[in-house]
Amino acid sequence: MIQENAGKESLRDFLRQTKIKEVMTAKVKTLYVDEELSKAQGIFINDRVFYIPVIDRDKKLVGLMSHKYLYRTQSPRKFVEGESVYAPGFLIEGDSYYDKETLDSYYLRGMMQRNPHTMGPDDSLADAITTMAVRNLGCVVIVDKETRVAGML
């Protein structure tokens, strides 16, 4: 029992001492707030991510787009057996596709989560894990002092 508690304490100490900047994904694709939804779907497909920070023209964070919000707007359509896999105007994801024209009738500004929860690169990994668990977050955007995207967890 004593040894087990010692292991838990050393893990807690490690998480408290580890800064987010040591483990975050630093190269993060972003989208501008006035871009069309098809651009977000292109990033979701090509980069295999589920969250994309949304920025303004000053490159400051204004929102977060998730794959879930895209599904709320337009569910992917399944290809029917024998149907052509390539079709102009379709964004293909596995055996499903999105109609680009329909997606482009929406803008990120109206679909994104505004003011997502953020943390700083010098915050502890323990605080990030606790925040994500308590708030049921799939990610946390890491921002610098000017609220520019520095990374993601």
Side-chain angles (χ1 to χ4, degrees):
M1 181 74 169
I2 294 173
Q3 207 171 22
E4 186 178 309
N5 284 339
K8 286 180 183 177
E9 282 306 312
S10 64
L11 178 59
R12 283 188 187 117
D13 289 341
F14 171 77
L15 295 174
R16 284 186 199 120
Q17 293 167 6
T18 302
K19 299 208 180 291
I20 289 174
K21 66 184 172 189
E22 297 173 44
V23 297
M24 71 183 186
T25 299
K27 292 185 179 185
V28 178
K29 291 234 177 151
T30 58
L31 292 165
Y32 288 106
V33 69
D34 55 355
E35 290 190 282
E36 296 168 327
L37 210 48
S38 65
K39 183 146 185 202
Q41 180 56 15
I43 292 173
F44 290 137
I45 292 170
N46 297 326
D47 293 85
R48 299 177 189 224
V49 296
F50 294 98
Y51 301 95
I52 307 168
V54 181
I55 57 175
D56 63 16
R57 290 293 164 186
D58 294 325
K59 300 195 181 207
K60 294 185 178 196
L61 181 70
V62 294
L64 183 67
M65 184 63 191
S66 81
H67 214 234
K68 176 176 73 175
Y69 299 148
L70 177 75
Y71 283 161
R72 287 181 185 165
T73 304
Q74 180 188 6
S75 296
R77 309 292 185 243
K78 290 275 189 192
F79 283 109
V80 176
E81 192 173 322
E83 211 172 16
S84 171
V85 175
Y86 174 76
F90 285 177
L91 295 170
I92 300 171
E93 181 177 20
D95 64 350
S96 303
Y97 67 91
Y98 292 88
D99 177 52
K100 185 178 181 315
E101 187 177 324
T102 302
L103 286 178
D104 287 347
S105 66
Y106 299 95
Y107 286 89
L108 288 172
R109 180 183 316 278
M111 306 309 305
M112 68 182 188
Q113 172 192 346
R114 295 181 186 277
N115 304 314
H117 186 80
T118 62
M119 296 185 83
D122 290 321
D123 290 334
S124 77
L125 185 55
D127 288 344
I129 291 169
T130 302
T131 298
M132 291 176 77
V134 168
R135 293 178 176 236
N136 196 29
L137 301 173
C139 75
V140 174
V141 183
I142 311 306
V143 295
D144 62 17
K145 291 178 180 156
E146 289 81 37
T147 66
R148 292 190 174 94
V149 177
M152 283 185 69
L153 279 181

